[in-house]
Amino acid sequence: MTKKVKIGNVVIGGGERIKIQSMTKSLTQDKEETLKQIKNLERAGCDICRIAIPDEESARLIKYYKERTTLPIVADIHFDYRLAILSIKEGADKIRINPGNISKDKIKEIIKCAKDYGIPIRIGVNAGSLEKDILEKYGRPTPDALFESIKRNVEFFLENDFDNLVLSAKSSNVLDTIKVYRLIHKHFDFPLHIGVTEAGPSYIGVTKSAIGISSLLMEGIGDTIRVSLSAPPEEEVYVAKEILKAVSLLKGPEIISCPMCGRAEFDVERVAKELMERLINFEKPVKIAIMGCVVNGPGEAKEADVGVTGSRGVGVIFKHGKIIKRVREKELLDELIKIICEEL
Ligand code: SF4
């Protein structure tokens, strides 16, 4: 089992619930947009929020954001060790550094400051920015190359008497990601932050992330997860939750829906999307079906605890395949949620 590490008021590792992390995508200096994204993450059920710190102004805004959210704030630092130190002093709950782009002397200063303030550091190795000598040795960022970088850096932190660590080694290649995390898990007991980096847009990113993350979770590897998507941050959280539910690490409703065909008289896609948004923080493990036609829908979705379909403005609610109610279509989801809350 991995060690426990505290990020603000959130504990990761040591068998705790797997935490969901995401990252704001606005310019960190843009207070209005960044705060909006943080609030959206909070509402979506995110556990930990990371923000990029590209300059001093961004580091100085950490306090501003922390005062306005319940989420722990992780400062993401590249290149400039002074920004890491400033972020810690401004209240970051954890910092993530990419050791491939900060010199060892400077990392020592970051370690000293993190020790003084009692906050953890994530060593975030990335296939795109491996140390030069390691890259030359392996020719490309193979799992072994990524692992060598992690090993070298962990040893350096331990030599400097710092073990409040979280590790990650991300690649945009799913199989490489799985292999390198297996290696890290075998050799170290620090909590692991897992994900496939630069996974891609919409369904490409969702597919790669789901395969990479769920494969590792099923082997008991991973303490925090991030789904990297070229999409609004809250969508990363929605996908992360679905991955956790799919591998039984999170309780919640399971929404199934038919693919629709020439018999469909009901807008399955729109209703499913609205229902997903309304149930995002529900914990009841109920199976809900959204089907395209009244003739076949209820029967095809017998396995579901409850379901909906409809035709010509009339919404139909069924339980285990049997129709129990007809309502006006615009009242359908209110009625469905009432049944889920009160009767199931
Ligand atoms: Fe087609 Fe109806 Fe089956 Fe959906 S439930 S796939 S609309 S037959």
Side-chain angles (χ1 to χ4, degrees), residues 246-261:
V247 292
S248 300
L249 287 170
L250 184 71
K251 275 193 196 157
E254 182 188 348
I255 298 177
I256 59 168
S257 63
C258 84
M260 297 198 284
C261 69

Side-chain angles (χ1 to χ4, degrees), residues 257-266 268 290-298 300 309:
S257 63
C258 84
M260 297 198 284
C261 69
R263 296 177 197 88
E265 293 183 331
F266 185 67
V268 171
I290 302 160
M291 305 300 279
C293 69
V294 183
V295 184
N296 288 340
E300 282 182 19
T309 182

Side-chain angles (χ1 to χ4, degrees), residues 99 104 107-108 111 123 131 134 147-163 165 167 187-188 190:
K104 290 283 184 278
I107 292 179
K108 272 189 191 173
I111 290 176
I123 302 176
E131 289 97 327
I134 296 181
F147 177 68
E148 188 164 326
S149 174
I150 278 285
K151 188 166 170 286
R152 177 188 291 182
N153 283 289
V154 169
E155 281 165 3
F156 179 79
F157 275 75
L158 295 180
E159 277 161 21
N160 284 279
D161 204 22
F162 190 92
D163 65 355
L165 290 173
L167 308 179
H187 289 85
F188 297 110
F190 299 109

